[in-house]
Amino acid sequence: MGETGLTRSEERFIRWSFGTYSGHNPSLSDGIILPIWKSGPCCGRPRIPASIRGLVARGLLQVSEDEPPPRAYFTPTGIRAVRRMFIKPRFDTGQYIHLWREVESRAEME
């Protein structure tokens, strides 16, 4: 983990999850949709990928099953970690300007 509190693989996962695809700008407040188990003893419960498990364990993401589909949402600590990720010199903020604006507006509210 660098100064962001996120590992490089976690940063890559966040860029992949929230990149602009087909003209759609996903929002951090929409969360990350989680797959669900289709069979077995965990049938119907969210299947939490390894890339998300570490973020949940460190308190950067929180899993919510309140309404379908289950999602993982960033906690305030997670939002701060994402904000620090944007400040890094090697990060291309131009491609993720929609997220930068969202993170900055949340920082102003705090």
Side-chain angles (χ1 to χ4, degrees):
M1 279 179 265
E3 67 273 3
T4 64
L6 298 170
T7 64
R8 284 196 176 207
S9 63
E10 290 168 343
E11 288 180 3
R12 190 173 27 254
F13 173 74
I14 291 168
R15 287 193 307 266
W16 176 81
S17 297
F18 293 98
T20 301
Y21 303 104
S22 302
H24 175 68
N25 293 332
S27 170
L28 291 175
S29 59
D30 291 340
I32 301 167
I33 296 175
L34 300 173
I36 56 171
W37 289 100
K38 303 291 183 195
S39 63
C42 298
C43 184
R45 295 184 46 213
R47 184 167 38 105
I48 303 173
S51 52
I52 292 179
R53 238 177 281 140
L55 294 167
V56 170
R58 293 197 340 260
L60 302 176
L61 281 177
Q62 171 183 328
V63 175
S64 173
E65 300 179 49
D66 295 341
E67 54 186 58
R71 295 173 188 258
Y73 295 99
F74 281 96
T75 63
T77 305
I79 294 292
R80 285 192 293 275
V82 171
R83 185 174 187 274
R84 286 191 300 273
M85 179 178 82
F86 280 113
I87 295 170
K88 293 172 90 171
R90 74 171 195 270
F91 194 80
D92 177 20
T93 55
Q95 187 176 358
Y96 301 94
I97 194 72
H98 61 287
L99 293 181
W100 174 251
R101 288 181 183 140
E102 182 178 354
V103 168
E104 285 302 302
S105 68
R106 284 188 183 197
E108 290 171 4
M109 287 193 228
E110 291 180 353

